[in-house]
C-alpha cells in the first residue's frame, strides 16, 4: 500500500505525513431558539426571551422566512468555537473570512514547530484543466501521485532538517521558521456565529443545492464539511433552511 492509498498518517525519518484535517467543536452556545428570540424582539420586545423556553419546531416557518428573505441579524446571536488542525495554506485561505470570525493560531515564534506535513491521498484530484474562471480538476495518474508523494516527502524532510540546523545553531525560532513550507500542519481556534459560518460554507463548499456555484480548494472544503456537520447537529432547523434556500447566507 502506498502513502497515497493509506488514510492513516505515515512517519519517515522523523517526519509525519498526513492527508486529513481535524475539526473539534470545543465550545458552543448555539440553538435554533437563539434565532427565534432575536427575531421576535421586534414585535414582542422583552417578552421575546420566552421563545427560549418553547420548542423551536413550532416556529420552523419563521426560521425559513428569515433565511429566504435574508433577514440575517437573528442568526448572529450564537457562538461556535472550533479547534482545527490543517496545513498552513488552508489557514491562509481561511483567514480571508474576517467578518464574524475570531482566530488564534499556534505561533512559530513561541514554540518549536512539529514535523507534520500534508501530502494528498489518492482521492485528491491533481490536474487542473482550463483557464482561470473556467477550469476543472481531474484525476491524476498513478505516476503523478507517486511523484507528488516522493517530491513533497523529500522536500519536507530537507526543509525540516534545515529548520533543526538553524535552531541548533542558536537562530531564533521566528527566523528559523522561514525555511518551512506551507504544507506544514498548524492548529488554531476559530470562533464564529451561524451567519458567518453560512457565508463561509457558501464559498468554501460545493453542494448540489447551492444557487451560486463555488469552486473551493479541496483541503479547505474538507474543513468546511466537518464544521458544517457540527453546526447542523446544534441548529438543525437553521441548517435545513440554509439548504432549502440555496445555501446563500442571509
Amino acid at each position: 500500500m502506498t502513502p497515497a492509498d493509506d488514510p492513516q498518517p505515515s512517519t519517515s525519518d522523523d517526519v509525519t505525513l498526513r492527508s486529513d484535517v481535524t475539526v473539534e467543536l470545543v465550545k458552543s452556545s448555539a440553538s435554533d431558539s437563539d434565532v427565534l428570540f432575536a427575531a421576535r424582539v421586534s414585535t414582542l420586545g422583552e417578552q421575546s426571551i420566552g421563545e427560549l423556553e418553547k420548542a423551536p419546531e413550532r416556529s420552523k416557518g419563521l426560521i425559513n422566512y428569515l433565511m429566504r428573505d435574508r433577514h440575517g441579524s437573528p442568526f448572529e446571536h450564537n457562538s461556535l468555537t472550533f479547534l482545527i488542525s490543517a496545513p498552513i495554506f488552508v489557514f491562509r485561505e481561511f483567514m480571508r473570512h474576517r467578518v464574524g470570525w475570531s482566530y488564534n493560531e499556534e505561533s512559530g515564534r513561541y514554540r518549536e514547530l512539529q514535523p507534520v506535513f500534508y501530502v494528498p491521498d489518492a482521492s485528491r484530484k491533481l490536474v487542473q484543466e482550463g483557464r482561470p474562471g473556467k477550469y476543472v480538476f481531474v484525476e491524476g495518474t498513478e505516476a503523478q501521485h507517486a511523484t507528488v508523494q516522493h517530491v513533497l516527502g523529500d522536500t519536507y524532510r530537507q526543509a525540516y532538517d534545515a529548520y533543526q540546523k538553524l535552531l541548533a545553531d542558536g537562530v531564533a525560532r521566528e527566523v528559523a521558521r522561514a525555511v518551512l513550507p506551507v504544507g506544514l500542519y498548524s492548529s488554531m481556534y476559530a470562533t464564529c456565529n451561524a451567519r458567518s459560518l453560512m457565508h463561509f460554507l457558501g464559498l468554501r463548499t460545493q453542494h448540489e443545492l447551492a444557487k451560486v456555484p463555488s469552486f473551493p480548494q479541496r483541503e479547505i472544503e474538507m474543513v468546511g464539511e466537518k464544521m458544517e456537520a457540527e453546526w447542523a447537529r446544534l441548529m438543525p432547523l437553521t441548517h435545513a433552511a440554509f439548504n432549502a434556500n440555496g445555501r446563500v447566507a442571509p
Side-chain angles (χ1 to χ4, degrees), residues 44 86 150:
L44 298 177
H150 176 72

Side-chain angles (χ1 to χ4, degrees), residues 31-36 54-67 75 194 198 231-245:
S31 71
D32 292 315
S33 295
D34 296 332
V35 180
L36 298 172
K54 298 179 181 178
E57 288 80 4
R58 295 170 53 187
S59 299
K60 179 179 178 181
L62 175 57
I63 291 176
N64 190 70
Y65 159 75
L66 295 169
M67 191 77 68
F75 297 99
M198 284 186 277
W231 169 59
R233 178 177 57 82
L234 293 171
M235 303 180 71
L237 299 182
T238 302
H239 180 254
F242 176 58
N243 281 333
N245 289 279

Side-chain angles (χ1 to χ4, degrees), residues 23 25 30 75-76 78-82 84 94 97 99-101 103 190-205 220 223-235 238-239 242 247-250:
V23 175
L25 181 67
F75 297 99
E76 297 176 4
N78 53 80
S79 178
L80 304 98
T81 298
F82 299 95
I84 303 168
F94 209 121
H97 297 267
V99 178
W101 288 90
Y103 304 108
T191 299
C192 64
N193 59 56
R195 189 183 192 184
S196 53
L197 180 57
M198 284 186 277
H199 181 261
F200 176 91
L201 294 174
L203 291 172
R204 301 298 183 178
T205 61
I220 197 169
V223 174
E225 290 169 349
K226 291 178 180 292
M227 295 173 71
E228 182 170 359
E230 294 287 355
W231 169 59
R233 178 177 57 82
L234 293 171
M235 303 180 71
T238 302
H239 180 254
F242 176 58
R247 293 177 67 87
V248 175

